[in-house]
Amino acid sequence: GCGEGSKDHAVFDERGRYIMHDFDRAKPMSNFLPGVAGVWGVPLWAFFVNRGQGIASFGVTNKDGGIYRFSSADQAYAVTPFTGFRTLLKGSRDGGKQTFESQPFFPQADKEDGPAPERDMFIGTNELEIVEKDTANGVDTRVLYFTATNEDFPALYRRTNLTNTGDTDLTLEVVDGLAKLEPFGVTYGQLNSMGRTLEGWMKVYNLEEGRSRPFFHLVIEPSDTADVKEIVAGHFALAFIEAEDNVDDLTMKHGMLPIICDQQVIFGSDTTLSIPRNFFSSKDKPGGASLDEILAAPQSTTSRTPSAFAGARIQLKPGQSIMITTAYGHAPSIEAFNTEIAPRIMTRGFMSRQLEEARTMTNLIVSRVGMKSAVPLFDNYIRQNYLDNALRGGMPVKLGGLRDTPPKVYHAFSRIHGDLERDYNNFVLDMSYFSQGPGNFRDVNQNRRCDVLQEPAVRDFNIRQFMSYVQADGYNQLTVATAFFHISDPMRVKTIASRLVAPGYGYDILVSILSKPWRPGQLFRDIKKAGITLKLPKEELLAIAVTNAEQVPAGLYPPKQGGFWTDHWTYHLDLFHNYLAVYPDTKEWLLFDSDPVPFFYSLGRVLPREQKSMLATEQGQVRQYDAVFEDPNKLARLQRMWAEPDYVGDQYAGAMWHRDKEGKVFKVPVVTKLVILAANKFAILDPRGMGVEMEAGKPGWNDAMNGLPGLFGSETPAACELNRLLDFTAKAVDEAGRKVPVPKEMSDLLTAIDDALGKVAGGTADDFAYWDEVHGALEAYREATALEFSGEVVEWEAKDMGKASGVLGRMLARSEEGIRKALGYAPDANKTIIPTYFRFDVKDFSLVGFSEARSLPTVRVEALETNTLPLFLEGPTRYMKTLRDAPIEKRRALYTAVRNSPLHDDKLAMYKISENLKGQSFEVGRMMAFDSGWLENESIWMHMSYKWYLELLRAGLYDEFFSEIKTGLACFMDPQVFGRSPLEAASFIVSSAFPDEKLHGAGFLARLSGTTAEFLSMWNLMMAGEFPFGVDEKGALTLALAPVIPEWMWTEEGQLSFKFLGAVHVNYFTDAKANTWGAGAPQVSRYELVSGAGLGTTVDVQGPVVPAPEAEKVRKLQYDTINVYLTTPKEEKTAADGADAVAAEPEA
C-alpha cells in the first residue's frame, strides 16, 4: 500500500508523493512536470532527472523556447548538476572560527571521514522537491519546484529552504539559481549547430533597478534576410526572501534580491562550472570573494550565455529556516514584466496561493477517477494515470451550453509526447489559455477512448471527429489538431461583438477576430494583443462565443508523411463501444440519423501495385517502395480550398474535406462511413486473406518494423479488427433493417468484391486470382475518387448489405476463413497462437515500367510465397477480441498457450513484445538494429502487455487477469528495479533477454504512452462492468453495474468506492468481501440513489437493474451518490466461473 516500507525508506510521503531515496545514486531516470497551468493559465514545460538539482530543462511553447536549454536524456544526466540549478553556501559559526563551503546536491566523492549528505527526491503530481540533510555542516537544504497556475504568464517557481540544524548561530552567504539561461529568440537547432556564434546576439536588459529584474532576449532575430526583426519578448528572473520581515507595509510587496547574470563573477576561469573559483576559497584568495564583493563586481551582460543567480546574506539561529524564492518565466515585453508580472509575483502571499492552486488544479483534474479501496497504490495509480492520459489525448472540457443548447467539448492540455527520452518528437504547448498542441492520430484516438465514460457530455464528439478523418481510401492523416470554432453568420458576429465591447475601434477589431476560425486560447491572445477592453468577464465572453459557433475538426497531412499506417483505423470501434456503454438507446440515431460526416482530403495518394512493385536487388528480388506520393492535382485543389473565404483552418491544420463534382463537401451517414472503411480494408487483405497489407509505405503501430512494407508485409491484428468491424456494422444494418446510402464509386467496389467472392465460392478462382481481381477493383475505386466524388448515391437494401444475407455477411465469412488460415501457421502444437506478421516473397513477375525516382524497373506481381515472422504479442491480443462469442475454454486455451510461449518473460513475470528475432533480415526494419530486450526488440512494451491484460479482463478470465497484473502493472512493481515511481508507466521495460542484467526490469521513456488508455479501460470495466447502461425489451434505458472486484481490494469494512461517469460517487458494500465472479459470488441486489448531497431524496431500487426513468437521471448526473449492496446468493450456484460474466457486444 501507500507509504509501505520501513519508516526510513517509505515509498510515499503523507502528500502521496513518491520518494526516491539517494536519488542521485539511483538508476538515471527522466520525467517531467505536467505543463498544465489550468484552463485560464499559460503553461510552461519542465523536464527533470534524478541528478543535480532535478530540473534538466524548462521553457515555453517548444524546444525553441528553452529558458534552460532542452537536451536529450543522455546529455541531461551529465550536465544538469553543472549547468542547471545550483546552490553555493559559505557558512560561519562562532564569529568566524568555524567556516565551511558547500554545494548542496552537487556530485561528490564518497568521504572516508564523516557521513555523506542524505539526498531524497519527492515526485508529486504537479511538483518536485529535493532535500539534502548535511549533518557535517549542520544545514538542511530543501528545493521545491512548481509552475504558475491560472496566471497570464508562464513561470517556474523555485523555493530554496535553508535550515540551521546545528546548535550554534549560523551566518550564510548564499548564491542560488540557474547557471545557464538561454535568452529568448534562440532556436534549438541554432543552439546545437552554432551556439558560440549565437552568443553574439545575446543581451541582458532591465538591470537598472539594483540588478533585481533582469530580462533576457536576443537583440534581433539571428537570420540573414532583408527583413530584420527586433525581439521584444523575453525571459525573466527575479528573487526574494519569502518572509514577513521582508514585506513593505505600504505596498505589501517583498523586497527583491540582486541577480547575478555573469557566471564568471562566481566561477572565475572554471568554464566547467564545477568550482566557484571566485566565490569559494582559492590559493590566491583564502575564503574567496565576499558576497558583497561579488555583487559589486562589474558583470558582462552581452556576448555570452548568462546565468541567473540570486545572492543573499542571512543569519540563522539553531532550528531556524529561511526561504529564498525565485521565479523564472516569460513575458511579451519588458513593460509587461515590470508593470504587471513582477509586482504580482512580489506580492505577499502570492507564492503560497500559487502552490495551493497548483495542487488543487491537478487534484480537480484527477478527481474524475477518484477511488478508495484496500489498495492505496492502486487508488493513486488511477489518478496519476488519468492525468497522464489527458496530457496525450487532451482533457474534455465543457464550453458554451447557453440557452439550453448542449455544451460543446474542447480538449485542453493535449500535446505530442516529446520529452528528454522521446527527443525525436517536437512537442508544442500553446502559450495561451486552454492550452493545447497537435497530437498524433493513433495516440489521440486511443487516449480519448474512455472520454465519454468519464465525461458523458462528450457524447459522440470523438466518433464524429475521427469518422470525419477517414478518407475515401480508408486511410487518414497523421496529425490531429484541436478543433476550431467558427461563427459563419456575419450578423451573429456583430450581435455578439456589440454585447462585448463599446462601439468604435475595439468593436471593429473584435468583429474581425470573431469572423475567422478560432480556438479559445488564440481568441483571448488576439483580443489582448489588440488592446481591447471587454464589458464582460472572460468566462462569459467564451460561453457566448462558443454557444453561437460551430465546432469543426482539424487535421493535417504533414509534408513528407510518406505513407499511411495499417493500424490507425483499428481504434475507431472502441470509441463506438464506449459511446454505446453510456448511450445504447441512441445506436440507430448515431449510425443512420445523426449529422452526416465528411471525408478528410490529404495530399497523399497510394500508387497502384504496378507503380510501387520494383525489381530492387541484384539477386532479382522484388520490393514495394515509394507506395504513396504527393499528388500535384490534389495540391491544386487544396490550395483552392485554403483560399476560400469559408475555409476553417490555419496554416497548420484545418477542415480539408473531399468535394463532389459540384464543389460541395461530400458527406455520408456514420453507418456508410463504417461500410466504406470496412470495404477499403477488406480489399487490401493479403493474397491468403490472413492479414491486412502494409501497402501504403508504413507498418502498423510498431514503427520499428519500417522495412516490412517493402517486403510485402501484412499483419493479422488489423485483420482481427476488420473481423470485428464487419461484424459490428453488418449486425447494425440488420438490426435497423434500413437502407444504407452508398456513394456510387463504393457501390461498384462492393459489387466487384461480391462477384469475386462468388467466384471463390464457386471454385472458379483461387486465392491469388481473387486477390488480383479485388485489388484491381480497389485501384479503379481509388482512381475514381482520387480528386472528387461524383455525388451519386446508391441505396442498398438491408438484406443486400447486412450480416444475415448481404455482402457484409459474405465478407465476414471470408475474414473468418482468413483468420483460420493464419492459425494454420501458428508454431504451437495446438495451433492457438496466431502469428502477427507475414511477408510475401515474389516468385514470379513480368516487367511493366520504370520508377524515375529510384531508377528501377517496376513489375507486375504474378505469384507470391508466404513467410511467417517470429511471434509477437499483438497477434494473440487482437485475436482474443474475435473470441468474444466463443466458449470461455477457447479463450483460456489462448491465454495458457501465450503464458507458456517464448512471449512470456519468466524472470520478470511479464509479457514481451516479441520472441527472439535473431536470424531475421535487417530489411524488416530498425528494430533489428536494437539488442534483444531493448526498445521494440523483445522488450516488455508496456502498452502492448497492458492491451493483453485488458483482453484477459474483457474475455472474462478474471482469475488469470488479477494474477497477471500483480507483476505486470506499474503500481505493483518494485520501484528499486523499475527505477521510477510506481504511479507512472513507461514505454518499455528492459526484458531478461538484454545482455546487461543490471537493467532487467528497468523502465524507459516516461509516462505518456498508450498504457494510460488501456489501464483506464481496465479500471472502468472493473468498477462498473463493460456496458453499464442497456435497453430493456421496450427500448427504455436501464443501468446495471457489474463490478469485477477481487477479494483483496475490499476494505476491512467490506467497502469500495469510485467515481462513476466522472461525477457520481458509487459506494459498493458487501459482507462477503469475496471475488465478484464465480460460483456463489456476491451479486448486486439493491441500489440507493441519493440526490442533493444526502439532503434531497433517496430512491431505493431492489434487484440488479435500475430501470427507466431512474437510469436516465443517473446518466444526467442528477444523483450525487449511489450506494450499491452486493449479497451472496442463498443457493450455491453451479455455473462455471465467469463463463456468463463476459459482457456481450451491445445490441440496439
Side-chain angles (χ1 to χ4, degrees), residues 254-474:
H254 288 289
M256 300 170 84
L257 292 173
I259 302 283
I260 302 157
C261 300
D262 179 359
Q263 70 270 86
Q264 289 192 13
V265 170
I266 302 163
F267 291 92
S269 60
D270 184 11
T271 52
T272 69
L273 307 187
S274 305
I275 303 154
R277 284 228 165 96
N278 277 2
F279 183 45
F280 280 8
S281 295
S282 64
K283 62 176 187 288
D284 302 332
K285 190 162 188 179
S290 70
L291 183 64
D292 288 342
E293 288 174 311
I294 293 279
L295 294 174
Q299 293 185 32
S300 169
T301 57
T302 179
S303 305
R304 80 168 55 125
T305 304
S307 60
F309 287 106
R313 185 184 167 85
I314 51 186
Q315 312 279 341
L316 291 173
K317 298 207 168 306
Q320 194 184 355
S321 297
I322 196 151
M323 191 184 290
I324 298 172
T325 298
T326 41
Y328 300 86
H330 180 86
S333 65
I334 284 184
E335 294 71 40
F337 172 51
N338 285 335
T339 60
E340 298 165 32
I341 297 171
R344 190 160 171 78
I345 292 174
M346 307 305 298
T347 305
R348 173 179 177 267
F350 174 79
M351 266 308 145
S352 295
R353 286 195 301 276
Q354 279 285 279
L355 177 58
E356 196 45 47
E357 281 191 63
R359 287 172 173 165
T360 305
M361 184 264 306
T362 41
N363 283 337
L364 199 66
I365 291 173
V366 301
S367 69
R368 286 180 174 178
V369 291
M371 76 172 290
K372 194 166 192 304
S373 73
V375 191
L377 256 178
F378 193 87
D379 305 349
N380 287 335
Y381 182 42
I382 184 60
R383 288 160 59 86
Q384 180 70 46
N385 188 90
Y386 184 74
L387 175 68
D388 287 352
N389 191 74
L391 295 185
R392 203 165 84 143
M395 189 182 93
V397 179
K398 286 187 287 194
L399 298 178
L402 303 179
R403 303 190 309 273
D404 293 325
T405 58
K408 295 184 175 78
V409 170
Y410 187 79
H411 284 84
F413 313 144
S414 59
R415 79 288 302 263
I416 192 171
H417 56 325
D419 54 59
L420 302 185
E421 290 185 273
R422 298 181 184 91
D423 40 21
Y424 48 85
N425 266 344
N426 295 315
F427 59 88
V428 178
L429 262 71
D430 203 21
M431 223 194 311
S432 68
Y433 298 152
F434 290 87
S435 176
Q436 46 69 46
N440 286 344
F441 189 95
R442 175 193 298 120
D443 306 346
V444 178
N445 193 329
Q446 291 188 88
N447 285 55
R448 290 188 188 173
R449 180 196 304 162
C450 294
D451 274 5
V452 71
L453 299 173
Q454 266 61 67
E455 175 52 273
V458 169
R459 297 190 70 103
D460 58 345
F461 173 82
N462 288 320
I463 289 176
R464 303 191 62 73
Q465 179 168 11
F466 283 99
M467 284 291 101
S468 300
Y469 291 146
V470 176
Q471 299 174 165
D473 63 4

Side-chain angles (χ1 to χ4, degrees), residues 415-416 425-426 428 436-445 448 465-466 469 471 476-483 519 553-561 563-565 568 600 602 650-657:
R415 79 288 302 263
I416 192 171
N425 266 344
N426 295 315
V428 178
Q436 46 69 46
N440 286 344
F441 189 95
R442 175 193 298 120
D443 306 346
V444 178
N445 193 329
R448 290 188 188 173
Q465 179 168 11
F466 283 99
Y469 291 146
Q471 299 174 165
N476 53 266
Q477 85 290 359
L478 172 63
T479 301
V480 172
T482 308
R519 297 187 178 109
L556 173 71
Y557 180 89
K560 310 286 179 278
Q561 177 174 314
F564 297 107
W565 286 263
H568 279 186
F600 194 77
S602 77
D650 57 20
Q651 70 268 42
Y652 303 112
M656 303 170 210
W657 307 135

